[in-house]
Structures are given as structure tokens and as C-alpha cells.
Amino acid sequence: MDTASIGAYDDVRTASRALATEAVHAGRDDLARQGLHAPPIDLSTTYPSYDSRTEAARIDAFATDGADPIGPPVYGRLGNPTVARFETALARLEGTEAAVAFASGMAALSAVLLALPLPGGLRHVVAVRPLYGCSDHLLTAGLLGTEVTWTDPAGIADALRPDTGLVMVETPANPTLAEVDLRSVARACGSVPLLADNTFATPVLQRPAEQGARLVLHSATKYLGGHGDVLGGVVACDEEFAGRLRRIRFATGGVLHPLAGYLLLRGLSTLPVRVRAASENAAELVRRLAADPRVSRVHYPRIGGAMIAFEVHGDPHEVISRVRLVTPAVSLGSVDSLIQHPASISHRIVDADDRREAGVSDRLLRLSVGLEDVEDIWADLNQALGTSPNRPTATTNHAVAGAGR
């Protein structure tokens, strides 16, 4: 079935369906009519057509506005039916008109930055730290020709310039879990598009488009996939910006593989269940860590979630070396618990002074809480933290962006 038919049939959905129902059925609504239960995986790189005149017209239409070609697929770089199912489902979960998938979260962010220049050449970006370390580096290094002004949420309006093409925030932020008020930030942006990285929260906990963000970014590698076995990125947005992103994807080749699209669509079906169960584990671990004299500070967002950041009195590298059940690795959002030291890995590429000013201390550890029994996770953390120093118990920081710097 071609991508246009998927979208056309999908549009007959009931608008009032709950998120959990959408997670299971979005992108799959046409399957029963085709006598299918599981979505098919289309691995074709190219598609036959005996009507080259029609093909030429479809290519012209795509080149003009980036709209999905009407009719059968043309070529794997323009789009893929399996990937289109994932895009349809993610857009429905985020409440946007469209979504465009890429080979990774960084490929998705790169496409957004490349899509910014309009006739006026809007290449200036206003951003709030902290961001994921590679996102920070991409902006700071100007690798794609953008210039960035770093500010706190209160300074966004003053940081805007005539050539500002984007405002970028991440909430809860990686790795400190600082939060920003998206409605307030969207108002400060005026007509400048707001990009919100929603990787940590997922649409289960927050839908930035409903709060004024024009673009919603996910490293789909994380919670959307949910099993640590697929790389991907996606931007949920309006159809006009989606057209720009499709043209960038076609030109640069940062396409999502069909098998990855299949795995991500499968991951969405259990997303609400996984996020809520892992969040329950995280809330209990936050309670225990906050009462532990070996921990100086715990960071946990007001909206909840499965991510925890905490600072230790002792050597964080020793904690990393002693875990046995929890996996010491980068990434997050998998069914198993992962821990890492941001200053050494995920945010190592950020200038040390900028890193510390953003609240990423050298004693900070980031824990992605999984679906193991919470008692087993705690038993491993407890032994990894080592002996207890004679110190006061920790404070829990339900921080907004900029706090704790």
C-alpha cells in the first residue's frame, strides 16, 4: 500500500482516542482491511513505473514543496511505506500534522538547521542550556553555518535578532532534567519557530506542540524504540515545515532504514506502558536517593519520568565501576537501567566551563531507570555507592532551566 493511501485511510480515525489506544493503532488502521495483523516491512530501494511522464510530474511536485508523492513509492530516499507508518503514528501521538523520520536524532536536528534558511537567510539560533552534548556541539561549532546565542529562558525575547530562524530548548533537559515553561517560551519566541527536544518526556508525559512549539524533536533511539536495538530520529511538525525536511532528507540521504521504521512503530505500541512503569520505579529511587547520605543532590523533573540525575559525595567513577545489574553505558530509554557520567561521555564534547555553568557538575551521574524490579535496581545502586560518609542527606531539586548553575 502506498504512503498516500496510508495517510488517507488514517485520517478517518476518531479524534477522541486516548493516547494508549493511539499508541497501539496509529499507523496500522488500514491493516485489517488488507488481511494483515502485523505491519509489513518494505525493503525496496526503488519501485517500478512504466509511466515516466507521471513520474516526472511527481518529482516536480516533490521538488516544489516536499509533499509526499501521490501514488506508489518512487525511490527509497523520497520515502518508504514502513517508515511512513511510523511517521503517521508519531505525528498522531504528538498532535501534529506530520512527522519526518531520519537515521538518528542528530540527523533530524541537522535537517532542521539546514531547513532554516528562507529567502531572508535566517541562520541565527537562540538556545537554552543544557542540551544534549552533541546538540550543544553542533550549534556551538557552527558546523552547518548557524550562529548561536545561549541564554536562559527569561532572556529569549532579548536574544532574538532579525535573522533568528529558531529557538531551541530541551525539557526536561539532558542531563540535569531542568525544565522550562514551554508556553512562556513560545510566547517569548513570537513568530520565530520553537524547537522542543521531547526525548526525555515523550508524548506520554508532555506534548510540546500543544504548548506552542512548532517543532518537536526526538532521538527515537531512546524511549520511542525502547529496547536499545534501533537508531533513529524524528521531527513532528506542521506540514509546511515537514515538506522542507523531506527535501533536506532527500538531498542529504539521512533516511531511516525500513527495518528501523518497523522497530520504532512496534516500540510505540508499548510506549505508554513502558514510560509509566519505569517512572514508578524512578519515583521510588528518587525517594531513596534523596534520603541517602552518600548522595548530595537529586535532580528529578516535576512532570516525573524515568530519568534521574544525582550528585554523589564520593567518586562518581567508582560508582560506575561497581554497578552489576545496571548497565554502565550511554543512551537511555531502554527496558534495562543504564547509568553514565555525563562529564566524561555524553557532555564531554561541551566546553568544561559551559558544562559546569549549565549544572553538569563533575560529580553528576545520569540514571535511565528501566523495568527491572525496583528492589533489584536499588540493591545494585546501594552496593555501587559504597560506604556511607558522615554527611547530611541529599536535597531533591525539581528544577527549572537555569537552576542549580
Side-chain angles (χ1 to χ4, degrees):
M1 192 174 198
D2 62 74
T3 56
S5 298
I6 293 170
Y9 186 78
D10 219 37
D11 282 340
V12 305
R13 79 262 187 187
T14 303
S16 61
R17 293 203 308 206
L19 181 78
T21 304
E22 289 283 50
V24 172
H25 289 279
R28 306 168 179 84
D29 288 325
D30 64 306
L31 293 179
R33 294 197 314 166
Q34 298 186 67
L36 299 172
H37 185 237
I41 305 175
D42 187 333
L43 295 173
S44 298
T45 57
T46 192
Y47 299 86
S49 173
Y50 292 95
D51 188 350
S52 57
R53 293 183 182 87
T54 300
E55 293 294 88
R58 295 204 294 156
I59 295 296
D60 287 346
F62 178 84
T64 300
D65 59 14
D68 279 328
I70 297 173
V74 178
Y75 183 57
R77 211 155 20 90
L78 270 79
N80 171 273
T82 307
V83 172
R85 292 182 180 280
F86 165 64
E87 293 172 329
T88 295
L90 193 278
R92 292 258 292 275
L93 292 180
E94 284 289 5
T96 60
E97 292 178 344
V100 183
F102 295 86
S104 70
M106 290 308 302
L109 177 57
S110 296
V112 170
L113 298 178
L114 289 171
L116 289 185
L118 295 171
L122 305 176
R123 301 310 303 267
H124 176 245
V125 177
V126 173
V128 175
R129 279 191 174 118
L131 297 175
Y132 168 53
C134 287
S135 299
D136 188 308
H137 176 67
L138 182 64
L139 293 175
T140 302
L143 296 175
L144 298 179
T146 53
E147 178 187 352
V148 62
T149 297
W150 295 101
T151 185
D152 58 29
I156 287 174
D158 290 337
L160 298 178
R161 304 186 329 206
D163 63 339
T164 302
L166 187 75
V167 174
M168 181 173 180
V169 300
E170 182 176 2
T171 181
N174 187 351
T176 66
L177 303 173
E179 297 172 277
V180 300
D181 182 337
L182 284 171
R183 293 189 188 278
S184 176
V185 167
R187 287 193 296 269
C189 291
S191 61
V192 176
L194 171 63
L195 169 66
D197 188 327
N198 203 32
T199 299
F200 276 22
T202 81
V204 176
L205 300 179
Q206 114 186 325
R207 301 196 341 159
E210 294 178 347
Q211 301 177 59
R214 184 177 182 187
L215 309 168
V216 182
L217 174 70
H218 287 272
S219 172
T221 308
K222 312 309 194 290
Y223 287 104
L224 303 189
H227 293 76
D229 56 6
V230 58
L231 286 173
V234 63
V235 180
C237 57
D238 57 82
E239 180 56 39
E240 190 276 331
F241 208 98
R244 293 195 232 168
L245 292 175
R246 293 186 195 106
R247 292 166 69 188
I248 295 294
R249 182 177 64 183
F250 175 72
T252 60
V255 296
L256 184 70
H257 192 274
L259 181 57
Y262 173 86
L263 290 172
L264 291 172
L265 182 64
R266 187 178 69 170
L268 290 185
S269 64
T270 60
L271 178 67
V273 176
R274 289 186 287 104
V275 169
R276 288 166 183 154
S279 297
E280 289 181 9
N281 280 351
E284 175 59 22
L285 293 174
V286 165
R287 186 186 68 79
R288 298 186 189 191
L289 288 167
D292 196 303
R294 297 166 294 183
V295 177
S296 61
R297 194 174 190 183
V298 180
H299 305 257
Y300 191 62
R302 289 188 179 95
I303 65 170
M307 297 299 301
I308 303 171
F310 61 98
E311 298 169 50
V312 295
H313 288 296
D315 185 347
H317 301 285
E318 289 299 313
V319 178
I320 293 290
S321 71
R322 286 193 290 254
V323 292
R324 293 296 177 265
L325 176 71
V326 177
T327 301
V330 294
S331 200
L332 56 106
S334 184
V335 291
D336 59 320
S337 298
L338 306 174
I339 193 169
Q340 65 113 350
H341 182 242
S344 294
I345 307 180
S346 65
H347 288 70
R348 188 67 179 180
I349 201 167
V350 179
D351 176 81
D353 290 338
D354 291 337
R355 189 170 66 228
R356 295 186 187 105
E357 186 179 351
V360 186
S361 79
D362 290 341
R363 293 186 181 273
L364 183 76
L365 293 168
R366 191 191 74 187
L367 176 66
S368 172
V369 181
L371 301 181
E372 303 95 340
D373 189 281
V374 70
E375 296 298 337
D376 291 327
I377 303 173
W378 175 247
D380 193 38
L381 289 176
N382 188 39
Q383 63 82 25
L385 286 166
T387 58
S388 177
N390 185 22
R391 295 180 184 272
T393 56
T395 58
T396 303
N397 180 33
H398 294 280
V400 295
R405 296 186 180 183

